[in-house]
Amino acid sequence: MGSIFRLSPGVLSHLSRLEVQARSKKSQPQQRSRVEALKAKVEALRLQRDQLKAEIETHKNLQKLRASMDKQSTREGEEEEEEEMDEDSENSQLLRLMARHTQLKDLLHAHHIIGGYDVVKTRQGKGVCVSLATAYDGVFLDTYNLEIDMKPTLRISRHNVPPFIPLSSLVEQSNMQTDIRSFLATLSQHLNAFAGRKQQLKLVKELHKSVEVMESNVLCSILVMVFTVPGEKTAVLCTLDYTDHTRCLPTRVHFESEEKELPDSPEWKKNCSLLMETPVHKALIIMRKMGNIV
């Protein structure tokens, strides 16, 4: 005759706690992974919030600068008109026309200064600070600032433009005194192209571990990489030259390999055209999918 084995309440409670602990240990890695993902999302949202705050603040300062310039131009025009002369005289009419002309010139000058760029007043209106933001493929990157003295002539007093950007040459070539907007557009083109090449190099190192970056410079105007061809594991040395510093794409692509015929093969000629027309990190993805590199 069998006997019934009964557990005391204390033993059942202890077994229940052990089961709960075992389940908790299994779920801890998942919880940690979830927490890390949430932390990363929070950090990304904070960064986005800070960028939006900066853009809003810059927009407010730009509106204040425009309003201040309009008031100043209007005030100067009114002062010119308040000459002690007969309003019906020809001299009075001429004076009003001159005052209006001066006002329009000031407004046109302000338009050239602020057209398309973030501008704030500095040193009680004696100068302006122009901010040029850079971005690549929808990603906001670095911002560069120029502090420009307004009188007696336009002059860059301070800036944080990298020394390898030919700022002085751009000032002379674009004639900043008469066409500052053209100067800012050219400078912005150089800065955005540099930021784009730099970002491409970063993405190559992050996304393509099998591609070895052998050489690059601070301007990111040259990039030397080593590819590995599948099968025989042949190495290919690839050189990209960016002689046009206003562009993100190379002006020359050159291949070298122990297999002398490989660079001139139709397949690798297509790779050459691909690298000339496509950002390098995206071109490498296509070359890998086509089976040309490891």
Side-chain angles (χ1 to χ4, degrees):
M1 185 174 178
S3 62
I4 298 176
F5 179 73
R6 296 186 179 183
L7 297 176
S8 66
V11 173
L12 289 173
S13 177
H14 181 66
L15 291 174
S16 177
R17 283 198 300 271
L18 290 176
E19 184 180 0
V20 170
Q21 289 176 0
R23 290 178 180 175
S24 177
K25 287 181 180 179
K26 289 182 180 179
S27 64
Q28 279 179 1
Q30 296 179 354
Q31 291 176 349
R32 282 198 297 268
S33 177
R34 176 63 175 166
V35 169
E36 290 174 359
L38 289 173
K39 285 182 178 179
K41 187 174 182 180
V42 169
E43 186 63 27
L45 290 173
R46 283 177 178 171
L47 179 60
Q48 185 179 9
R49 179 201 62 189
D50 294 340
Q51 290 178 352
L52 289 173
K53 282 184 177 180
E55 291 177 6
I56 292 171
E57 186 63 27
T58 301
H59 182 68
K60 288 181 179 178
N61 291 331
L62 180 59
Q63 288 181 326
K64 290 179 181 178
L65 175 63
R66 285 175 172 162
S68 176
M69 286 182 171
D70 289 343
K71 289 180 181 179
Q72 181 66 23
S73 298
T74 303
R75 189 159 50 245
E76 290 177 358
E78 291 175 351
E79 290 175 356
E80 290 288 342
E81 290 180 350
E82 291 177 355
E83 295 287 336
E84 296 179 355
M85 301 177 66
D86 185 0
E87 293 185 358
D88 295 330
S89 67
E90 293 183 0
N91 288 338
S92 178
Q93 293 177 7
L94 179 60
L95 184 61
R96 286 198 296 271
L97 288 174
M98 290 175 63
R100 180 60 177 164
H101 180 257
T102 301
Q103 182 183 11
L104 290 175
K105 282 180 62 179
D106 290 342
L107 289 174
L108 182 61
H109 182 63
H111 170 73
H112 281 301
I113 292 286
I114 64 178
Y117 303 97
D118 295 332
V119 182
V120 293
K121 283 193 300 184
T122 59
R123 299 184 295 109
Q124 292 77 44
K126 295 180 181 179
V128 293
C129 182
V130 183
S131 297
L132 294 89
T134 61
Y136 177 75
D137 204 15
V139 178
F140 179 81
L141 300 172
D142 298 319
T143 298
Y144 300 95
N145 301 294
L146 301 172
E147 188 169 327
I148 302 175
D149 294 337
M150 303 292 290
K151 296 180 180 180
T153 58
L154 295 180
R155 184 180 68 88
I156 299 174
S157 56
R158 291 191 301 175
H159 67 85
N160 65 341
V161 176
F164 44 80
I165 300 294
L167 186 60
S168 299
S169 299
L170 296 179
V171 169
E172 295 176 2
Q173 292 172 8
S174 59
N175 197 356
M176 187 178 75
Q177 297 299 324
T178 57
D179 193 357
I180 190 172
R181 192 172 185 179
S182 175
F183 160 70
L184 292 175
T186 304
L187 176 59
S188 179
Q189 194 175 17
H190 275 262
L191 291 172
N192 273 283
F194 161 65
R197 296 192 300 269
K198 183 179 177 182
Q199 184 71 358
Q200 288 182 35
L201 175 59
K202 178 184 176 185
L203 292 172
V204 167
K205 292 179 178 179
E206 290 179 354
L207 303 177
H208 303 281
K209 301 299 183 182
S210 62
V211 175
E212 184 179 359
V213 176
M214 301 294 292
E215 182 184 351
S216 63
N217 57 7
V218 291
L219 186 56
C220 297
S221 60
I222 187 169
L223 177 59
V224 180
M225 302 170 290
V226 173
F227 305 147
T228 301
V229 180
E232 298 180 1
K233 300 295 182 181
T234 304
V236 177
L237 186 70
C238 173
T239 302
L240 305 183
D241 283 333
Y242 300 81
T243 54
D244 185 352
H245 296 164
T246 63
R247 299 179 66 232
C248 294
L249 295 176
T251 51
R252 187 180 78 95
V253 177
H254 180 67
F255 297 127
E256 293 181 36
S257 174
E258 292 180 354
E259 293 187 16
K260 303 299 182 182
E261 297 179 356
L262 185 143
D264 294 326
S265 66
E267 191 173 25
W268 279 85
K269 284 184 176 180
K270 289 181 181 179
N271 290 336
C272 180
S273 299
L274 180 65
L275 288 164
M276 291 278 288
E277 300 168 358
T278 310
V280 57
H281 63 288
K282 295 181 180 180
L284 295 179
I285 293 175
I286 298 173
M287 291 170 65
R288 182 182 296 162
K289 288 182 178 179
M290 293 170 60
N292 296 328
I293 61 174
V294 174

